[in-house]
């Protein structure tokens, strides 16, 4: 039987992968259990109002129909960030509900293609983009009633600059920002070291899952060890934020986030209070459990489900919808295209021949058929295939004929491995100096569909591979312990620069030191090209800008800094039993990932059924 033509059933049978979790389970990690058996669909009408789903002493009563219950985060059984209210604390994340509290200067919704001024009313660059002036909205308050001012914005930027590279976004702030000053309470002035025409969009706006979180100067000015400051004390109202929610109870199994009726935007008439009175976050579980809970109306939305699982959830409850309604593909292309990432600085994958050999050993078409039932999309470049980026995909086509990132070719893989000094041992695995090349491919749980399939393909290609989802995966890729892993890119939306900048050497760090972007790639020519791109206003119709892009992307392709795999689809189930007006293709006011920093836009739209 030709391996190229194996279907999903044959592949699973011949490789012994009975479920997507088999290889992960063998490595002691949390497996995805087989999908839940079909159950009788619940009634299509919502039940009578229920008590809040958890009885916690001291919390006010909020009925079920006013509570939004979301399942996300943790290690499969419990939260790992409990008590980290400071967004810059080591290990903290906004993704487990805290995004409801943080507000940006400007929101940007890629799906609506709309910028929404929020804490700022406007901004202006000088003629050569070396200075930026931002106007702050009057009447904004922190949750303790203290006015939010330009001083908080300037303080945050200067704090990041001073604490680089320990805090998120601090590396780029230190490299780009010369000084941030508060001209007065409502005016911020930023001076750059060189032209930065994207800065307001890329760093001071919330879009998808990125943007700088502004912290209150009156709290953080006395904090010396920012990354060590937990910043959570419910009795003292910490963390302070400007958004309409506050954390009122937080354990390893539950996180209660209640609406603040004294929110500045409601007081000033800028926006109405959200209808959601309580957000209850519970930890991520395996897919069987997530499906059971959402089918039984016990949760309203969960982490993305796999391509093979989400149709079952939709089929079992007529109230469950997805971005594409109840029809395939039951999701949308996220801004997080998947690549096989490498530590390019040390270990076997520091050799580009080995990186190319890995890519040639992956049969992406078979991966789609086996792991995703054919519902996915392969990508040749590390950018989301959004309309503004299509001209850059088109311009790179001649280069992709030379550097075919989607080619499955074990002969070419063998040539590359031989060139790197490897030979195969008696069992068909690549060895050098008597040692097999190890390929423990790390990944998040969302890759439990494609991860085991790719690992099996790599084994057939001579790599001693397995797919693992360690609890400390984020730490391993940040400090360089991991050498090969699956991950996405939270970068480009309209311009390739934002993703390409991830590979510049300012993010390099020695092994053991944390990095913001983890390839540890260093190439002086590439750095020079990206610096020229950074100084220019992005424009696909500008020949000079396009020439720089092509120079940079050829260096990326020649070195195969990471190996593009797929366009990542968010297949998010959304239950309409208690809440309607979820973001969908027909109502695309924002993307549907509630763990993103655009979550507040979703909260402004969700409408109670009862």
């Amino acid at each position: 039987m030709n391996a190229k033509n194996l279907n999903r059933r044959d592949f699973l049978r011949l490789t012994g992968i009975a479920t997507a979790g088999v290889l992960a389970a063998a490595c002691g990690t949390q497996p995805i259990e087989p999908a839940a058996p079909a159950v009788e669909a619940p009634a299509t009408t919502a039940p009578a109002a229920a008590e809040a789903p958890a009885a916690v002493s001291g919390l006010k009563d909020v009925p079920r129909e006013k509570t939004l219950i979301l399942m996300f985060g943790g290690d499969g059984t419990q939260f790992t960030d409990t008590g980290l209210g400071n967004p810059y604390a080591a290990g903290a994340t906004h993704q487990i509900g805290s995004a409801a509290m943080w507000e940006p200067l400007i929101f940007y919704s890629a799906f609506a293609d709309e910028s929404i001024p929020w804490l700022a009313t406007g901004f202006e660059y000088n003629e050569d983009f070396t200075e930026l002036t931002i106007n702050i909205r009057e009447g904004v308050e922190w949750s303790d009633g203290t006015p939010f001012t330009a001083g908080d914005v300037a303080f945050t930027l200067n704090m990041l600059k001073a604490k680089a590279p320990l805090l998120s976004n601090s590396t780029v702030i230190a490299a780009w920002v010369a000084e941030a000053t508060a001209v007065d309470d409502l005016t911020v002035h930023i001076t750059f070291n060189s032209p930065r025409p994207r800065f307001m969009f890329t760093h001071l706006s919330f879009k998808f899952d990125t943007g700088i979180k502004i912290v209150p100067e009156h709290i953080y000015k006395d904090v010396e060890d920012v990354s060590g400051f937990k910043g959570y004390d419910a009795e003292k109202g910490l963390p302070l934020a400007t958004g309409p929610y506050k954390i009122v109870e937080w354990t390893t199994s539950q996180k209660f986030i209640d609406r603040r009726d004294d929110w500045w935007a409601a007081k000033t008439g800028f926006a109405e209070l959200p209808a959601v009175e309580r957000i209850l976050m519970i930890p991520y579980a395996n897919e069987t459990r997530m499906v059971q809970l959402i089918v039984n109306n016990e949760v309203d939305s969960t982490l993305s489900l796999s391509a093979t699982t989400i149709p079952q959830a939709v089929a079992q409850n007529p109230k469950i919808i997805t971005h594409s309604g109840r029809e395939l593909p039951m999701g949308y292309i996220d801004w997080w295209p998947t690549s096989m990432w490498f530590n390019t600085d040390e270990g076997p994958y520091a050799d580009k021949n080995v990186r190319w050999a890995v890519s040639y050993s992956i049969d992406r078409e078979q991966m789609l058929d086996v792991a995703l039932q054919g519902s996915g999309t392969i990508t040749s470049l590390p950018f989301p295939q959004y309309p503004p980026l299509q001209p850059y995909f088109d311009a790179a086509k001649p280069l992709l004929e030379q550097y075919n990132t989607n080619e499955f070719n074990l002969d070419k893989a063998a040539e590359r491995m031989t060139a790197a000094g490897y030979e195969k041992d008696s069992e068909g695995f690549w060895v050098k100096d008597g040692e097999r090349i190890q390929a423990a491919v790390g990944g998040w749980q969302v890759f439990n569909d494609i991860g085991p399939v790719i690992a099996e393909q790599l084994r057939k290609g001579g790599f001693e591979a397995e797919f693992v989802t360690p609890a400390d995966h984020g730490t391993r890729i940040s400090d360089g312990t991991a050498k090969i892993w699956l991950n996405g890119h939270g970068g480009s939306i309209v311009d390739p620069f934002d993703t390409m900048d991830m590979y510049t050497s300012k993010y390099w760090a020695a092994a053991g030191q944390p990095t913001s972007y983890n390839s540890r790639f260093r190439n002086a020519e590439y750095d020079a090209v990206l610096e020229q791109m950074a100084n220019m206003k992005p424009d696909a119709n500008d020949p000079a800008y396009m020439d720089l892009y092509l120079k940079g992307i050829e260096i990326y392709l020649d070195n195969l800094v990471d190996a593009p795999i797929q366009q990542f689809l968010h297949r998010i189930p959304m239950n309409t039993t208690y809440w309607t007006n979820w973001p969908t293709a027909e109502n695309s006011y924002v993307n549907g990932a509630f763990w993103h920093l655009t979550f507040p836009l979703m909260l402004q739209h969700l409408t109670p059924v009862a």
Side-chain angles (χ1 to χ4, degrees):
M1 183 178 293
N2 189 321
K4 180 71 175 178
N5 297 320
L6 285 180
N7 60 25
R8 184 174 191 272
R9 181 189 60 194
D10 292 331
F11 185 93
L12 297 179
R13 174 175 57 82
L14 293 175
T15 60
I17 304 177
T19 72
V22 167
L23 292 183
C27 305
T29 57
Q30 179 72 28
I32 294 295
E33 296 180 9
V39 297
E40 182 178 353
T44 57
T45 56
E51 294 297 318
V56 178
S57 176
L59 292 186
K60 68 179 181 181
D61 291 332
V62 177
R64 173 66 177 95
E65 71 269 18
K66 295 183 179 180
T67 301
L68 181 69
I69 306 179
L70 304 172
M71 197 169 197
F72 184 92
D75 62 4
T77 59
Q78 61 182 5
F79 295 134
T80 58
D81 69 323
T82 302
L84 298 180
N86 166 20
Y88 296 104
T93 175
H94 60 261
Q95 294 187 323
I96 308 176
S98 294
M101 303 188 302
W102 297 105
E103 296 180 316
L105 299 180
I106 294 176
F107 279 112
Y108 175 73
S109 169
F111 285 15
D113 191 22
E114 180 182 15
S115 291
I116 306 166
W118 205 260
L119 300 183
T121 58
F123 64 93
E124 184 177 9
Y125 287 95
N126 68 345
E127 188 173 346
D128 65 358
F129 298 102
T130 57
E131 298 178 22
L132 171 64
T133 301
I134 305 167
N135 304 116
I136 301 301
R137 189 176 302 280
E138 191 170 4
V140 179
E141 294 177 344
W142 292 102
S143 48
D144 66 350
T146 301
F148 171 93
T149 71
D152 295 306
V153 179
F155 171 83
T156 300
L157 293 175
N158 290 325
M159 177 188 76
L160 293 175
K161 182 178 174 66
K163 301 295 183 181
L166 297 177
L167 309 181
S168 62
N169 288 298
S170 62
T171 298
V172 71
I173 300 302
W176 291 0
V177 174
E179 185 182 22
T181 57
V183 178
D184 53 45
D185 283 351
L186 301 179
T187 310
V188 182
H189 185 262
I190 304 172
T191 304
F192 302 111
N193 293 317
S194 56
R196 298 295 157 187
R198 303 169 180 79
F199 191 79
M200 191 71 201
F201 178 77
T202 58
H203 288 83
L204 294 180
S205 301
F206 282 4
K207 64 262 177 267
F208 289 102
D209 209 22
T210 60
I212 289 174
K213 304 173 194 71
I214 309 300
V215 296
E217 180 180 11
H218 66 288
I219 298 294
Y220 283 78
K221 65 183 176 62
D222 297 321
V223 176
E224 180 62 29
D225 180 10
V226 177
S227 62
F229 174 55
K230 291 186 176 181
Y232 171 65
D233 188 326
E235 292 185 0
K236 295 181 179 179
L238 297 179
L240 297 187
T242 61
Y245 291 90
K246 62 181 178 181
I247 302 170
V248 293
E249 181 69 25
W250 195 354
T251 70
T252 57
S253 60
Q254 296 175 316
K255 186 176 184 180
F256 292 84
I257 307 171
D258 284 3
R259 191 180 69 188
R260 290 194 302 111
D261 292 351
D262 61 347
W263 180 38
W264 69 268
K267 290 198 298 184
T268 63
F270 175 71
E272 295 184 1
L273 281 171
V276 175
E277 292 187 16
R278 168 169 290 164
I279 302 165
L280 172 59
M281 302 296 305
I282 56 178
Y284 159 89
N286 60 59
E287 289 207 327
T288 299
R289 182 64 176 151
M290 288 198 293
V291 169
Q292 289 170 341
L293 290 174
I294 197 164
V295 164
N296 292 330
N297 303 326
E298 295 178 60
V299 299
D300 299 303
S301 190
T302 74
L303 173 68
S304 304
L305 297 176
S306 67
T308 57
T309 302
I310 195 165
Q312 300 173 41
V314 169
Q316 291 175 48
N317 187 336
K319 289 290 187 177
I320 296 175
I321 62 171
T322 71
H323 181 80
S324 55
R326 295 174 57 82
E327 306 297 327
L328 291 175
M330 297 189 180
Y332 61 86
I333 290 180
D334 189 35
W335 74 323
W336 207 60
T338 307
S339 279
M340 184 69 78
W341 289 62
F342 308 99
N343 181 334
T344 67
D345 192 56
E346 62 172 14
Y349 306 101
D351 188 329
K352 71 177 182 181
N353 283 308
V354 178
R355 300 195 292 268
W356 267 107
V358 167
S359 184
Y360 283 135
S361 299
I362 299 172
D363 185 343
R364 292 159 175 81
E365 291 291 346
Q366 186 187 72
M367 177 203 73
L368 291 185
D369 179 50
V370 173
L372 305 176
Q373 295 188 339
S375 68
T377 303
I378 290 171
T379 187
S380 56
L381 294 171
F383 315 123
Q385 203 133 9
Y386 291 160
L389 288 164
Q390 191 58 47
Y392 300 98
F393 277 87
D394 293 341
K397 285 180 179 178
L399 286 173
L400 290 168
E401 291 179 5
Q402 179 182 355
Y403 305 101
N404 188 348
T405 56
N406 292 164
E407 184 176 0
F408 170 59
N409 192 319
L410 293 181
D411 290 336
K412 287 187 177 180
E415 290 175 6
R416 290 281 190 162
M417 292 301 288
T418 300
Y422 288 84
E423 60 183 9
K424 283 192 173 180
D425 64 15
S426 60
E427 295 183 58
F429 290 106
W430 292 111
V431 297
K432 185 177 184 180
D433 299 327
E435 294 187 5
R436 289 179 178 176
I437 185 170
Q438 299 296 311
V441 179
W444 312 108
Q445 290 93 339
V446 292
F447 298 128
N448 275 331
D449 48 12
I450 67 171
V453 174
I454 290 175
E456 183 60 28
Q457 291 175 342
L458 291 178
R459 287 186 69 85
K460 289 181 176 296
F463 295 87
E464 195 170 39
E466 60 182 348
F467 177 66
V468 296
T469 56
D472 62 345
H473 177 60
T475 299
R476 292 187 183 196
I477 63 178
S478 177
D479 68 14
T481 301
K483 300 299 187 286
I484 179 171
W485 65 94
L486 288 167
N487 206 3
H489 302 74
S492 295
I493 301 172
V494 298
D495 170 26
F497 173 84
D498 299 312
T499 293
M500 294 173 71
D501 185 59
M502 294 177 181
Y503 312 122
T504 54
S505 63
K506 64 177 171 288
Y507 297 113
W508 178 89
Q513 298 298 314
T515 55
S516 300
Y517 302 111
N518 315 123
S519 295
R520 287 176 158 79
F521 182 64
R522 287 187 288 181
N523 182 293
E525 183 182 1
Y526 185 84
D527 285 353
V529 170
L530 266 291
E531 183 59 24
Q532 290 181 72
M533 289 180 69
N535 292 339
M536 297 178 66
K537 189 174 182 179
D539 184 355
N541 295 314
D542 180 353
Y545 189 74
M546 186 61 78
D547 285 346
L548 286 171
Y549 157 71
L550 290 173
K551 287 179 182 177
I553 206 66
E554 183 169 12
I555 296 171
Y556 163 88
L557 291 169
D558 177 47
N559 287 276
L560 200 67
V561 184
D562 54 38
I565 301 292
Q566 65 169 354
Q567 292 290 338
F568 187 78
L569 266 67
H570 265 163
R571 299 176 175 91
I572 303 170
M574 300 173 286
N575 192 317
T576 62
T577 299
Y578 293 105
W579 298 99
T580 62
N581 206 25
W582 295 92
T584 64
E586 295 182 352
N587 188 23
S588 57
Y589 57 87
V590 75
N591 61 303
F594 58 80
W595 52 93
H596 281 180
L597 285 169
T598 46
F599 183 32
L601 295 180
M602 190 185 305
L603 291 166
Q604 284 291 312
H605 286 79
L606 286 178
T607 304
V609 171

